[in-house]
Amino acid sequence: MVLRKDGTALLEKLDGQDFDFEDGWRLSGTGSWQLTDDDGGQVVRLALTARTRLESRSPATATDASTPEPPSTHSWSFCVDRDQHDELKLFFFYGDPDIGNTYVMTRETGS
């Protein structure tokens, strides 16, 4: 995921958030992002507006007829936090929100 200063974004192989994660798709494409403040803290809102590639995390989900059609557009809400070294950390919850599984983005060095 690349977040550009002009508010545009490049997404590559991003899994679904919350219960969408269970569908097993991965989306790539372009879109937009915005940093917002709400009661729970800062959130990065990411919107995929043009899907360029669709992948599956596993062969079973690619052929399973009960799996819903992957979306052509999608949105995510990444929580913003700081780690023990005071570095920014973006994450969202996946699966059942009550369980608290987190999908944490890592930063590529030199980027």
Side-chain angles (χ1 to χ4, degrees), residues 2-80:
V2 177
L3 305 177
R4 298 184 181 116
K5 289 181 183 181
D6 66 358
T8 61
L10 177 65
L11 292 70
E12 189 171 329
K13 299 180 184 178
L14 195 55
D15 296 328
Q17 184 173 7
D18 295 329
F19 288 113
D20 289 334
F21 183 84
E22 306 301 330
D23 294 338
W25 45 256
R26 287 191 161 150
L27 302 177
S28 297
T30 58
S32 62
W33 71 278
Q34 181 180 20
L35 178 65
T36 62
D37 285 312
D38 58 16
D39 293 339
Q42 292 185 316
V43 175
V44 172
R45 307 238 185 251
L46 179 65
L48 173 72
T49 55
R51 185 177 82 188
T52 57
R53 192 169 63 240
L54 170 65
E55 296 180 36
S56 177
R57 281 197 312 276
S58 68
T61 57
T63 57
D64 187 355
S66 66
T67 302
E69 179 68 25
S72 57
T73 62
H74 197 67
S75 62
W76 293 262
S77 293
F78 287 89
C79 300
V80 179

